[in-house]
Amino acid sequence: MLHWDFYEQRLGPNASLDFFLTVQESDPLARLFMNDFNVLETCDDTKSTVDNYVSRLQEFGAAGVVMDGIGLEGHFSAPNPALIHAVLDKLALLDLPIWLTEVDISKKFDQQMQGCYQMCLTDNTLKNLPAGDVVDALLKEWRTSAIEGKSEVHGAFGFIGFHGQYHVAVSWQQNRAHDAVSQPRR
C-alpha cells in the first residue's frame, strides 16, 4: 500500500482506497489488513517508513475503512533487530493485530553474516534451529483442547480459544418439560 504506483497509475489516485471500501461494503464480515513490504527491513526506502504506514492507515480510516490488522512482509538482506523492534513498538500503539505475512533472509549471507541466524526458524536444510523449537512449542501450547459444555437457555455456548479453525460437534438432549413447546411439528 505504500508502493501504490501500479494500481493508482492505471486506475486512478484512489484505487487502493476504493478496493478496501468495495470489499468492506460487499462483505462487512471480511477482515481487512493493510499489508506491505520494506517497513521492517530497512530505513533506506523513503516510501515505506513506519510513519508513512501509519499515515496510510489513518488516511484509509478517515475515508471510512475499518482495518482489522496490520500485515508486514519481511524480506531481509541483513536484518536490523533494533529497527525491527522500534517499528513493531510504534505499530503496536495502533492497537491492531500485527501479522508477519512473509519472512525470509537472503541466501547470499552465511550464518555469521546474517547476524540474526539464531532467530531463524530453520537452517538451510529446514532442520529446526532453537527459535524454531520455541515456535513449535508455542504452537502446541496454543492449541485449544477439547471443550465440552451445555448451552444456555437460548442455545448459545461460548468458550475462549486461540485463533484458528475448530471442529465442532453438537448433540441435542431432549428436555421432557419443554418437548411440546420447543419441538417443531413434523
Side-chain angles (χ1 to χ4, degrees):
M1 296 291 97
L2 303 177
H3 308 90
W4 58 77
D5 297 327
F6 182 83
Y7 294 114
E8 275 65 17
Q9 285 183 8
R10 287 158 181 80
L11 303 173
N14 292 319
S16 296
L17 172 61
D18 292 342
F19 294 156
F20 278 103
L21 290 172
T22 299
V23 169
Q24 187 171 275
E25 184 180 318
S26 300
D27 183 358
L29 298 178
R31 297 187 63 188
L32 302 179
F33 280 69
M34 190 172 96
N35 186 62
D36 213 331
F37 66 94
N38 251 8
V39 177
L40 283 175
E41 294 93 320
T42 180
C43 50
D44 296 339
D45 184 345
T46 58
K47 282 187 180 179
S48 61
T49 66
V50 67
D51 292 327
N52 287 343
Y53 193 98
V54 169
S55 294
R56 192 73 167 149
L57 280 170
Q58 290 170 335
E59 285 175 37
F60 287 175
V65 175
V66 178
M67 286 292 174
D68 294 297
I70 295 169
L72 298 172
E73 298 174 23
H75 305 291
F76 300 101
S77 52
N80 180 341
L83 174 67
I84 295 167
H85 191 268
V87 168
L88 292 174
D89 280 350
K90 191 163 206 173
L91 290 172
L93 295 174
L94 297 173
D95 202 28
L96 289 171
I98 299 171
W99 289 14
L100 298 178
T101 58
E102 298 177 41
V103 179
D104 56 71
I105 299 175
S106 174
K107 288 182 177 182
K108 69 181 181 180
F109 295 104
D110 62 13
Q111 293 179 18
Q112 209 155 16
M113 283 294 294
Q114 283 185 11
C116 72
Y117 188 78
Q118 293 306 314
M119 294 186 333
C120 295
L121 302 181
T122 67
D123 63 17
N124 291 340
T125 65
L126 300 180
K127 182 180 176 214
N128 261 20
L129 292 170
D133 292 337
V134 169
V135 170
D136 285 348
L138 285 173
L139 290 174
K140 185 176 180 183
E141 177 186 331
W142 290 346
R143 285 196 179 106
T144 303
S145 58
I147 297 173
E148 293 185 22
K150 293 184 178 184
S151 64
E152 47 98 46
V153 69
H154 299 290
F157 175 75
F159 70 96
I160 295 174
F162 292 102
H163 178 73
Q165 296 180 351
Y166 292 89
H167 297 280
V168 177
V170 177
S171 62
W172 179 48
Q173 183 179 10
Q174 291 182 349
N175 184 341
R176 301 276 180 223
H178 293 82
D179 281 349
V181 176
S182 63
Q183 293 297 315
R185 293 187 184 173
R186 298 179 194 244

